[in-house]
């Protein structure tokens, strides 16, 4: 593990790493920005980054720009030796630990001569922003600098700081920053208290008292699950629980949209209840997400595990929409061919795909579409049958491999997550597309089993015979490539249920997933 102290050192290290690693799909770099005093919450971010990237960089920097004059900059916990030990144990490749001067070029970077990044005023005006003037400007500045310096494929942040994550995602979108910002679940103590570096300020008694914050959020969640949707009632449920702990002094209890941070009077599809409170001299924050939509089923797994057939049948059994990502890529490919664009012209296709609006619907009982898992419209024109042509089949692989096409279709796929009611399969559905899915299943099968299935498929299609050993080698190579992809790597979500399909018929697998759904998911 390299410990780097300067901007130039980071540049040289990453330049060398990107040159030295021989990867067909490039070198994926993950960044975990921290202010040190690492705990299990930080380690969960590092673990996620380690799973998804070739190179993991952790920054440890107490950023003076995000502290107000009366805040705790001078006493913020500082544990560099422990932090480095934890990073090395977690498999971090490089830690960036600059001084203020090395990072900002001045020991006192509050000068008006310095360039600062101004986040959305509307997003800063609520929650913590109205109580900590200048805080999110400081956060936006330091994170923009880190993203510019490291140029990571992915940067990881905890959902505990949900306002920060929403602001940074908007910033990255507005400034066309290429890095993907990944939100990760809040890690909690046994009492429910969200882990935070500032928890080290609390005494053991105060730690137990602070747990009332999460209990308040859970009380509101119970009201929500019972049918309550009004902000006034949900925030009142939180406040009533907080009032049980006289040592706690709430600063705000608010309901906002988790992505836009706009205050909500009622939850329509998504809402976030957020709390800030003081316990002694320590300021604590926490939040909980409230969803009012149909459930989502995410099915992931390696090639040859039977995902597509299983997902289609599960969707039919549960009366949900099969979100046919393959049809979406075929629709874009069809339009590329219709416009006479070379399938290798990534620039032209990147411009074309920005104006593609795709809509999927279940095929229903219409006999004309019985052979198709779903019907699809592109810019208002139905293309369900047109996208199955041999020309589209021959070209879709080249088009679907292009990063811009994947990014645009990912955004459109995620729009279906707002209302839910979908089943989707792939490599990264439970980790990237729908990390909030109510049921995540990871279908597995041995290499030998998948090779035998492939051999049977080839025979049924009257294709030339291929030996089992050759098929096994090809599947093994495909697994390795899919797991190490720079974009959309194959990975089982932490909360996914693994289901080995060796020796099982399709109907058996479908039945097992339907049973899991019925036992675990409320509709």
């Amino acid at each position: 593990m390299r410990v780097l102290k300067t901007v130039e050192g980071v540049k040289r290290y990453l330049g060398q790493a990107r040159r030295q690693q021989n990867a067909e799909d490039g070198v994926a770099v993950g960044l975990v920005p921290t202010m040190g005093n690492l705990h299990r919450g930080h380690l969960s971010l590092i673990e996620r980054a380690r799973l998804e990237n070739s190179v993991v960089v952790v920054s440890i920097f107490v950023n003076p720009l995000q502290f107000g004059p009366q805040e705790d900059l001078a006493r913020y916990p500082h544990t560099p030796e422990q932090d480095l030990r934890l990073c090395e144990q977690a498999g971090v490749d490089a830690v960036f630990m600059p001084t203020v001067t090395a990072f900002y070029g001045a020991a006192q970077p509050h000068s008006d001569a310095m360039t600062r990044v101004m986040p959305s005023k509307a997003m800063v005006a609520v929650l913590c922003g109205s109580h900590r003037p200048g805080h999110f400007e400081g956060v936006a500045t330091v994170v923009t600098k880190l993203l510019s310096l490291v140029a990571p494929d992915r940067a990881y942040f905890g959902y505990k700081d949900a306002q920060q994550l929403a602001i940074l995602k908007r910033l990255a979108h507005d400034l066309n920053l290429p890095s993907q910002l990944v939100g990760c679940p809040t890690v909690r103590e046994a009492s429910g208290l969200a882990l935070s570096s500032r928890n080290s300020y609390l005494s053991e008694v105060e730690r137990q008292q602070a747990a009332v914050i999460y209990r308040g959020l859970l009380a509101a969640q119970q009201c929500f699950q019972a049918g309550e949707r009004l902000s006034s009632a949900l925030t009142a449920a939180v406040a009533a629980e907080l009032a049980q702990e006289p040592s706690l002094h709430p600063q705000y209890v608010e309901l906002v949209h988790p992505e836009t941070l706009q205050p909500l009077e009622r939850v329509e599809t998504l809402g976030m209840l957020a709390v800030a409170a003081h316990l002694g001299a320590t300021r604590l924050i926490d939040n909980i997400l409230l969803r009012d939509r149909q459930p989502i089923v995410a099915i992931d797994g390696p090639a040859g595990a039977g995902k597509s057939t299983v997902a289609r049948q599960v969707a039919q059994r549960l009366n949900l929409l099969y979100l046919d990502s393959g049809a979406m890529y075929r629709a874009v490919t069809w339009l590329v061919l219709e416009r006479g664009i070379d399938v290798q012209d990534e620039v032209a296709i990147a411009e074309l795909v920005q104006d593609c609006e795709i809509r999927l619907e279940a095929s229903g009982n219409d006999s004309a579409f019985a052979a198709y898992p779903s019907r699809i419209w592109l810019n208002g024109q139905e293309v369900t049958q047109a996208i199955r042509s041999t020309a589209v089949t021959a070209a879709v692989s080249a088009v679907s491999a292009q990063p811009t096409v994947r990014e645009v279709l990912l955004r459109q796929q995620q729009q279906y997550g707002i209302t839910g009611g979908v089943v989707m399969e792939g490599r990264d559905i439970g980790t990237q597309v729908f990390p909030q899915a109510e049921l995540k299943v990871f279908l597995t099968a041995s290499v030998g089993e998948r090779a035998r299935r492939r051999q049977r498929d080839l025979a049924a299609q009257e294709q030339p015979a291929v030996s089992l050993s050759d098929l096994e080698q090809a599947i093994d190579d495909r697994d390795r490539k899919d797991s190490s992809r720079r974009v959309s790597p194959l990975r089982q979500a932490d909360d996914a249920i693994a289901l080995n399909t060796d020796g099982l018929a399709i109907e058996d697998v479908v039945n097992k997933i339907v049973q899991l759904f019925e036992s675990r998911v409320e509709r």
Side-chain angles (χ1 to χ4, degrees):
M1 184 179 78
R2 298 296 296 266
V3 180
L4 308 168
K5 301 293 183 72
T6 67
V7 168
E8 284 303 317
V10 173
K11 289 179 178 178
R12 299 284 78 77
Y13 171 81
L14 288 172
Q16 187 178 65
R18 287 179 167 118
R19 286 193 301 271
Q20 287 180 347
Q21 291 211 21
N22 181 22
E24 182 180 331
D25 229 1
V27 177
V29 176
L31 170 67
V32 181
T34 81
M35 293 204 300
N37 193 30
L38 303 185
H39 50 66
R40 285 189 294 114
H42 296 113
L43 295 179
S44 73
L45 306 183
I46 295 171
E47 180 182 358
R48 174 81 178 266
R50 182 72 282 166
L51 285 170
E52 297 180 350
N53 302 277
S54 309
V55 176
V56 175
V57 178
V58 172
S59 63
I60 298 177
F61 179 65
V62 180
N63 175 35
L65 295 186
Q66 66 191 71
F67 289 81
Q70 307 304 316
E71 294 186 348
D72 58 343
L73 174 60
R75 69 185 186 105
Y76 194 84
H78 186 62
T79 56
E81 292 82 9
Q82 172 184 296
D83 293 344
L84 290 175
R85 184 172 65 254
L86 290 172
C87 284
E88 189 153 29
Q89 291 171 352
V92 172
D93 296 292
V95 177
F96 180 40
M97 295 180 68
T99 63
V100 174
T101 301
F103 192 64
Y104 283 121
Q108 302 292 330
H110 291 274
S111 167
D112 291 340
M114 177 184 166
T115 299
R116 309 281 279 276
V117 179
M118 301 290 292
S120 161
K121 288 184 178 179
M123 299 181 81
V124 168
V126 298
L127 306 181
C128 292
S130 59
H131 300 278
R132 302 186 68 186
H135 169 71
F136 287 114
E137 180 183 325
V139 170
T141 300
V142 70
V143 172
T144 301
K145 281 176 65 67
L146 286 169
L147 295 178
S148 175
L149 172 62
V150 178
D153 294 87
R154 305 172 188 89
Y156 298 83
F157 301 86
Y159 277 124
K160 182 185 77 69
D161 299 299
Q163 183 177 18
Q164 170 181 279
L165 179 59
I167 288 171
L168 292 175
K169 283 189 172 183
R170 176 64 182 270
L171 179 151
H173 175 269
D174 289 352
L175 298 184
N176 298 318
L177 301 179
S179 302
Q180 177 191 1
L181 273 57
V182 180
C184 300
T186 301
V187 179
R188 300 182 181 279
E189 296 184 2
S191 66
L193 176 63
L195 293 187
S196 167
S197 295
R198 288 187 170 92
N199 288 359
S200 61
Y201 298 154
L202 301 173
S203 68
E204 285 303 315
V205 171
E206 287 175 326
R207 280 178 181 266
Q208 294 305 312
Q209 293 171 332
V212 73
I213 296 175
Y214 189 52
R215 291 201 301 272
L217 292 170
L218 291 179
Q221 185 183 59
Q222 290 178 347
C223 292
F224 182 79
Q225 291 171 343
E228 184 58 70
R229 296 293 180 267
L230 291 178
S231 172
S232 55
L234 295 168
T235 54
V238 178
E241 187 68 30
L242 299 186
Q244 301 301 310
E245 181 49 68
S247 299
L248 190 86
H249 301 286
Q251 189 174 67
Y252 66 74
V253 180
E254 296 183 31
L255 178 70
V256 300
H257 191 281
E259 296 169 358
T260 66
L261 302 181
Q262 288 296 305
L264 299 177
E265 292 186 1
R266 62 177 293 120
V267 179
E268 299 294 344
T269 54
L270 279 177
M272 181 179 72
L273 267 175
V275 176
H278 285 92
L279 190 61
T282 305
R283 185 176 184 273
L284 302 168
I285 62 172
D286 204 350
N287 64 79
I288 198 166
L289 198 62
L290 304 173
R291 293 190 184 93
D292 185 13
R293 57 159 174 73
Q294 291 295 306
I296 295 172
V297 178
I299 301 176
D300 288 306
K307 302 186 300 291
S308 298
T309 304
V310 167
R312 289 196 294 268
Q313 294 191 20
V314 167
Q316 290 176 341
R317 288 273 299 274
L318 298 176
N319 197 27
L320 301 175
L321 172 68
Y322 172 58
L323 190 50
D324 190 350
S325 60
M328 297 177 79
Y329 285 110
R330 282 177 168 272
V332 173
T333 304
W334 175 82
L335 187 60
V336 168
L337 298 178
E338 283 288 298
R339 298 286 177 86
I341 297 173
D342 187 331
V343 296
Q344 301 298 334
D345 189 344
E346 294 195 21
V347 175
I349 293 174
E351 296 205 322
L352 175 72
V353 75
Q354 303 302 323
D355 296 323
C356 289
E357 291 189 9
I358 296 173
R359 179 168 60 89
L360 289 165
E361 289 184 6
S363 296
N365 298 319
D366 191 327
S367 58
F369 299 98
Y372 308 110
S374 54
R375 297 174 66 178
I376 186 164
W377 285 259
L378 175 62
N379 296 336
Q381 177 183 352
E382 182 163 9
V383 293
T384 305
Q385 295 171 322
I387 64 173
R388 306 293 171 177
S389 70
T390 55
V392 170
T393 299
V396 67
S397 179
V399 174
S400 64
Q402 298 179 23
T404 302
V405 175
R406 300 186 70 89
E407 290 167 10
V408 171
L409 293 191
L410 172 63
R411 290 196 296 270
Q412 295 200 24
Q413 290 158 6
Q414 289 176 327
Q415 288 300 304
Y416 285 89
I418 295 175
T419 55
V422 298
V423 178
M424 189 174 180
E425 51 81 18
R427 286 192 306 266
D428 62 343
I429 309 306
T431 56
Q432 297 292 337
V433 183
F434 295 131
Q436 76 281 24
E438 280 73 15
L439 178 62
K440 301 178 187 177
V441 177
F442 192 84
L443 291 186
T444 63
S446 65
V447 171
E449 175 74 14
R450 286 185 280 153
R452 286 188 290 274
R453 291 174 183 173
R454 181 59 178 153
Q455 196 173 56
R456 288 195 297 269
D457 289 343
L458 291 173
Q461 296 164 10
E462 299 183 350
Q463 297 292 319
V466 182
S467 71
L468 274 177
S469 59
D470 287 346
L471 288 171
E472 288 176 354
Q473 183 61 54
I475 289 171
D476 195 50
D477 291 343
R478 173 72 180 270
D479 287 351
R480 192 160 42 249
K481 180 179 179 181
D482 284 349
S483 298
S484 60
R485 285 175 179 269
R486 184 175 180 179
V487 178
S488 305
L490 170 67
R491 187 174 74 80
Q492 180 177 338
D494 294 336
D495 54 348
I497 299 166
L499 182 56
N500 191 308
T501 64
D502 280 9
L504 296 179
I506 293 294
E507 184 179 0
D508 297 329
V509 179
V510 172
N511 286 337
K512 285 180 177 290
I513 295 176
V514 170
Q515 289 168 7
L516 286 170
F517 182 91
E518 291 174 343
S519 65
R520 293 169 177 261
V521 178
E522 294 183 6
R523 299 191 73 167

